[in-house]
């Protein structure tokens, strides 16, 4: 069958139709090359859609909100009914405190969990169960963490709608991010480092704390920063626990005016994204500009954190020589 | 000699270079305490999952004591906060799936193009400089995307569709689509780059162009990962909250017309949480009931996505 087809081709090639067949072949090649180039262009444009979106988004925010961002009072005024006097004092302080709680709760817990899974865990069903849970938790929508916190932290543990509740909620949410990043950087440390330490008589914990954690610190830091950057802009879970939108006071400062060291943990609060949501939900355009101002503050904070983390990772990759 | 090679060839696993049993008997107490603490930290992942399930089920069950499951699943009105409360989840589901559907319509072609381009076409320099940008795009907080949808994309769409209301499902759908594109693209690209070089080389050796290699050799070999990326992207779109709560309006509306305003499951939870509902009321319980539905939907997509990834993976 194939033989006859080949014969056929040869016949046409040798006959006077040969020239046109060759021409057709060439045209086909040219057409496919052109199609190839065309697709490369389409792919490039599609890729640029993301980049352009980022740029347009940023320009749009800046055009709407730059006036507020440049005002000093914007950072040191409480929210107000009059747009010209409104500021984000209570919300940026709230965000900073919530992030502090999140960091203190999530970083040690995440690193410890990762160290266990990577260095200690025996291969059994329990380890398998933990691994499956870490994977699945990363895919749970953030608002579900809010529902968990509303039921567990706010009402069962009675932490109230406080900074502590919000910090712990976001900590649970970013835990998978930190665990995955820490595991990856532990895994990239070659076995012979561990073997050398064991050979010198180090215990497993000594190996972890004196050798593995210092080597992995860059990767861990990257994971923690990316997790925190996600937490800083996260709105849904914090709204769900019932954070207030209008806060015209700061949490009590420790050891002042009779406040205890940890009273601020249980204070009502608001955070930057909620402040932005609140202003965005109002019909007056003047408040939308305020929202844009908060948006710039949030986006600059997250971009700086993410950018730093990405830079750190590339640097570590380049420096990595075992 | 024989003995020597035998000990050398004993496999040493990376995580367990030392026999576990020997360590147990010789190591001091602190080692055991540290190990127990680390285990507890790892176990917190399981505890979190259990807590989510227990809390959602507990509150949802109290909800279903007042509302029959049949009414919940078949009625077409969702007005839990009205005097004459109706509890039909269908309007919320319709809103959720219309918006997620638009998002997928945007992100699948876009994400696929980006993945093919980055994995098969882009010069090294382009790939290395574009990928951090895409990562940054993934890092932009969703509330900022919400601002973008309400105050930039909707007015833009109103120029094309003049009678488009200020709140609609189209605009948040498109914005969520662009938002999840980097995710879809990166999962697809990982799958495509995992296809061995030898396959591409064979294709090139037969005279195929890059486009032919990408679409007829690499893509079919990476199908499972690419399809999984679409499903996982869908799961993300369903769980997305702020963009929808801001730009789609928060009125439950049983419609499949993307030009109309509607509420999704997530938007409803936000709406209730913004008001001050007393603990234990039916409205309070209703957000856990719909939250449970949301978890089941996303879990379904995730399980299917992981299954597709594993089931149809070509191994080389």
């Amino acid at each position: 069958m194939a033989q006859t087809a080949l014969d056929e081709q040869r016949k046409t090639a040798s006959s006077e139709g040969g020239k046109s067949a060759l021409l057709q072949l060439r045209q086909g090649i040219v057409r496919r090359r052109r199609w190839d180039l065309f697709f490369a262009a389409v792919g490039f444009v599609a890729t640029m859609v993301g980049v352009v979106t980022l740029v347009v988004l940023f320009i749009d925010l800046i055009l709407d909100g730059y006036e507020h961002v440049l005002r000093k009072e914007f950072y040191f005024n409480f929210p107000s009914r009059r747009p010209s006097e409104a500021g984000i004092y209570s919300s940026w302080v709230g965000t900073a405190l919530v992030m502090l709680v999140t960091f203190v709760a999530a970083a040690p817990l995440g690193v410890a969990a990762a160290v266990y899974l990577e260095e200690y865990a025996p291969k059994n069903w329990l380890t398998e169960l933990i691994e499956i849970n870490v994977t699945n938790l990363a895919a749970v929508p953030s608002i579900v963490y809010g529902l968990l916190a509303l039921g567990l932290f706010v009402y069962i543990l009675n932490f109230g709608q406080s900074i502590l509740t919000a910090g712990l909620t976001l900590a649970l949410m970013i835990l998978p991010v930190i665990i995955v990043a820490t595991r990856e950087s532990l895994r990239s440390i070659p076995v012979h480092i561990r073997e050398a330490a064991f050979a010198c008589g180090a215990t497993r914990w000594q190996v972890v704390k004196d050798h593995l954690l210092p080597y992995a610190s860059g990767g861990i830091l990257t994971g923690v920063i990316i997790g925190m950057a996600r937490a800083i802009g996260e709105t849904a879970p914090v709204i769900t626990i019932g954070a207030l939108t209008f806060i015209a006071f700061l949490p009590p400062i420790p050891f002042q005016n009779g406040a205890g060291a940890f009273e601020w943990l249980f204070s009502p609060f608001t955070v930057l994204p909620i402040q932005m949501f609140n202003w965005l939900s109002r019909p007056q355009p003047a408040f939308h500009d305020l929202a844009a101002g908060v948006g710039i503050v949030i986006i600059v904070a997250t971009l700086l954190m993410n950018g730093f983390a990405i830079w750190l990772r590339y640097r570590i990759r380049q420096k990595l020589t075992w | 000699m024989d003995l020597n090679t035998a000990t050398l060839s004993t496999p040493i696993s990376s995580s367990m270079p030392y026999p576990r049993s020997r360590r147990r008997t010789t190591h001091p107490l602190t080692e055991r305490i540290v190990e127990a603490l680390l285990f507890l930290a790892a176990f917190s992942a399981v505890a979190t999952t259990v807590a989510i399930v227990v809390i959602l089920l507990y509150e949802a069950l109290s909800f279903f004591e007042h509302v029959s499951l049949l009414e919940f699943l078949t009625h077409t009105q969702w007005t839990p906060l009205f005097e004459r409360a109706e509890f039909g989840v269908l309007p919320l589901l319709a809103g959720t799936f219309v918006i997620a559907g638009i998002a997928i319509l945007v992100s699948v072609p876009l994400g696929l193009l980006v993945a093919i381009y980055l994995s098969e076409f882009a010069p090294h320099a382009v790939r290395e400089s574009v990928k951090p940008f895409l990562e940054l795009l993934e890092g932009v907080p969703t509330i900022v995307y919400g601002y973008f949808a309400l105050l930039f994309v909707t007015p833009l769409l109103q120029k094309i569709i003049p009678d488009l209301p200020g709140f609609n499902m189209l605009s948040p759908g498109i914005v969520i689509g662009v938002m999840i594109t980097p995710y879809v693209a990166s999962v697809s690209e990982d799958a495509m780059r995992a296809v061995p070089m030898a396959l591409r080389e064979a294709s090139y050796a037969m005279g195929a162009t890059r486009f032919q290699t990408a679409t007829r050799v690499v893509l079919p070999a990476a199908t499972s990962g690419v399809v999984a990326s679409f499903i996982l992207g869908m799961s993300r779109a369903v769980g997305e909250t702020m963009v929808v709560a801001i730009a789609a309006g928060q009125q439950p509306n049983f419609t499949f017309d993307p030009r109309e305003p509607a509420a999704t499951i997530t938007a409803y939870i936000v709406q209730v949480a913004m008001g001050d509902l007393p603990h234990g009321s039916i409205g309070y319980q209703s957000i856990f009931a719909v939250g449970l539905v949301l978890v089941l939907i996303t879990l379904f997509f995730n399980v299917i996505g992981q299954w597709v990834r594993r089931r149809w993976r070509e191994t080389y």
Side-chain angles (χ1 to χ4, degrees):
Chain A
M1 195 65 192
Q3 195 58 44
T4 53
L6 215 63
D7 283 348
E8 201 84 352
Q9 265 187 1
R10 251 185 229 143
K11 249 180 238 162
T12 44
S14 58
S15 72
E16 31 103 62
K19 236 173 199 169
S20 77
L22 199 64
L23 203 67
Q24 250 178 1
L25 205 64
R26 284 213 178 118
Q27 277 173 341
I29 290 173
V30 168
R31 202 179 60 232
R32 287 188 190 104
R33 284 249 174 90
R34 220 177 268 153
W35 185 240
D36 203 51
L37 273 180
F38 172 73
F39 189 82
V42 170
F44 182 74
V45 168
T47 310
M48 282 300 132
V49 167
V51 180
V52 168
T53 307
L54 198 64
V55 172
V56 170
L57 190 95
F58 209 50
I59 292 175
D60 183 43
L61 272 183
I62 288 175
L63 286 182
D64 292 347
Y66 75 96
E67 281 174 14
H68 292 296
V69 179
L70 297 178
R71 276 193 306 133
K72 191 170 160 258
E73 312 89 78
F74 183 62
Y75 303 97
F76 295 102
N77 275 6
F78 289 111
S80 159
R81 276 182 295 118
R82 280 180 290 275
S84 56
E85 292 171 16
I88 57 170
Y89 197 20
S90 51
S91 47
W92 75 252
V93 171
T95 288
L97 293 176
V98 169
M99 284 302 111
L100 182 68
V101 176
T102 303
F103 176 79
V104 169
L109 199 60
V111 173
V115 166
Y116 179 80
L117 289 174
E118 209 53 43
E119 304 296 326
Y120 283 82
K123 266 209 159 76
N124 60 15
W125 63 271
L126 196 60
T127 308
E128 185 99 332
L129 181 72
I130 295 173
E131 303 241 8
I132 292 172
N133 270 291
V134 172
T135 319
N136 278 341
L137 282 179
V140 169
S142 62
I143 197 161
V144 173
Y145 285 97
L147 289 175
L148 165 70
L150 182 63
L152 184 67
F153 297 142
V154 176
Y155 289 115
I156 294 179
L157 297 177
N158 237 331
F159 291 161
Q161 294 157 343
S162 61
I163 290 176
L164 180 64
T165 302
L168 292 179
T169 311
L170 295 177
L172 283 183
M173 200 190 78
I174 67 170
L175 212 51
V177 179
I178 297 178
I179 292 177
V180 169
T182 306
R183 290 187 71 174
E184 259 169 34
S185 63
L186 283 175
R187 214 175 296 154
S188 70
I189 301 172
V191 192
H192 59 70
I193 301 267
R194 295 177 182 83
E195 284 166 353
F198 279 125
C200 292
T203 65
R204 190 169 293 267
W205 174 235
Q206 283 170 334
V207 173
V208 167
K209 104 178 129 69
D210 296 335
H211 299 274
L212 302 184
L213 287 184
Y215 282 129
S217 57
I220 294 174
L221 190 62
T222 311
V224 171
I225 294 172
I226 288 180
M228 298 286 284
R230 186 182 300 177
I232 213 173
E234 196 53 70
T235 323
V238 191
I239 285 186
T240 311
I241 63 173
L244 300 177
T245 51
F246 189 87
I247 295 276
F249 55 86
L250 292 184
I253 303 164
F255 311 118
Q256 280 187 17
N257 304 325
F262 295 110
E263 223 166 284
W264 58 272
L265 279 175
F266 297 97
S267 163
F269 70 102
T270 190
V271 289
L272 289 169
I274 292 188
Q275 186 63 68
M276 181 172 176
F277 181 56
N278 177 250
W279 279 332
L280 205 46
S281 309
R282 300 193 189 197
Q284 302 95 320
F287 281 108
H288 292 170
D289 291 348
L290 280 167
V294 191
I296 295 174
V297 174
I298 299 173
I299 213 173
V300 165
T302 53
L303 287 189
L304 280 181
M305 289 168 88
N306 277 318
F308 181 63
I310 291 169
W311 174 79
L312 202 64
R313 199 171 55 210
Y314 276 75
R315 232 181 90 93
I316 293 168
R317 253 183 223 161
Q318 276 173 359
K319 272 180 65 180
L320 210 64
T321 43
W322 293 106
Chain B
M1 186 62 203
D2 245 329
L3 194 81
N4 221 344
T5 46
T7 38
L8 272 181
S9 64
T10 309
I12 301 169
S13 104
S14 70
S15 61
M16 198 63 57
Y18 220 74
R20 202 179 155 75
S21 52
R22 207 184 307 166
R23 188 171 54 77
R24 270 244 170 103
T25 53
T26 53
H27 286 182
L29 192 63
T30 42
E31 288 290 310
R32 295 249 195 109
I33 295 174
V34 165
E35 181 169 351
L37 286 178
L38 294 178
F39 171 76
L40 280 183
F43 196 73
S44 69
V46 181
T48 308
T49 311
V50 171
I52 289 176
V53 172
V54 168
I55 296 269
L56 287 182
L57 273 183
Y58 174 75
E59 298 285 356
L61 283 181
S62 336
F63 173 80
F64 285 118
E65 272 171 22
H66 300 281
V67 180
S68 77
L69 196 60
L70 190 72
E71 178 187 347
F72 185 67
L73 292 179
T74 55
H75 277 212
T76 55
Q77 290 281 326
W78 180 262
T79 53
L81 309 179
F82 286 14
E83 194 103 3
R84 286 192 55 197
E86 292 246 21
F87 299 96
V89 79
L90 286 179
L92 296 184
L93 281 181
T96 301
F97 280 108
V98 167
I99 291 179
I102 298 169
I104 278 297
L105 282 183
V106 172
S107 64
V108 160
L110 210 56
L112 195 57
L113 280 175
V114 172
I116 293 177
Y117 178 74
L118 286 184
S119 137
E120 307 298 318
F121 284 80
H124 186 73
V126 172
R127 180 162 58 219
E128 290 303 303
S129 50
V130 162
K131 284 204 92 172
F133 259 101
L134 291 183
E135 278 179 63
L136 285 182
L137 200 65
E138 237 178 318
V140 173
T142 57
I143 179 119
V144 177
Y145 279 111
Y147 178 92
F148 196 53
L150 180 69
L151 297 176
F152 187 84
V153 177
T154 300
L156 208 65
L157 287 172
Q158 276 169 333
K159 283 182 189 147
I160 306 166
I161 314 167
D163 55 347
L164 192 73
F167 294 122
N168 59 74
M169 294 193 273
L170 192 58
S171 156
I174 292 172
V175 169
I176 293 174
V178 172
M179 198 175 95
I180 61 174
T181 295
Y183 176 73
V184 172
S186 78
V187 176
S188 296
E189 198 213 334
D190 283 346
M192 290 167 70
R193 292 185 82 178
V195 174
M197 220 42 186
L199 258 65
R200 290 190 188 87
E201 281 160 0
S203 169
Y204 287 136
M206 301 298 287
T209 61
R210 284 179 302 179
F211 178 70
Q212 287 169 320
T213 308
T215 52
R216 296 190 198 167
V217 176
V218 178
L219 207 53
T223 309
S224 68
V226 172
V227 172
S229 81
F230 301 159
I231 298 172
L232 297 177
M234 184 77 178
S235 159
R236 287 217 165 176
V238 166
E240 172 42 44
T241 309
M242 295 320 294
V243 179
V244 180
I246 292 168
Q250 297 179 353
Q251 287 304 314
N253 187 357
F254 190 45
T255 174
F256 293 97
D257 183 351
R259 285 168 301 183
E260 286 197 42
T264 62
I265 293 175
T266 51
Y268 170 70
I269 297 175
V270 165
Q271 186 197 6
V272 169
M274 294 291 287
D276 207 17
L277 265 188
H279 175 52
S281 67
I282 186 89
Y284 172 84
Q285 288 160 354
S286 71
I287 62 175
F288 288 90
V290 294
L292 187 63
V293 174
L294 178 69
V295 168
L296 289 178
I297 295 172
T298 51
L299 189 70
F300 173 76
F301 281 121
N302 284 322
V303 168
I304 295 277
Q306 301 292 355
W307 181 75
V308 165
R309 216 179 195 172
R310 237 172 292 151
R311 173 72 178 72
W312 281 303
R313 186 164 49 197
E314 307 265 342
T315 42
Y316 302 97

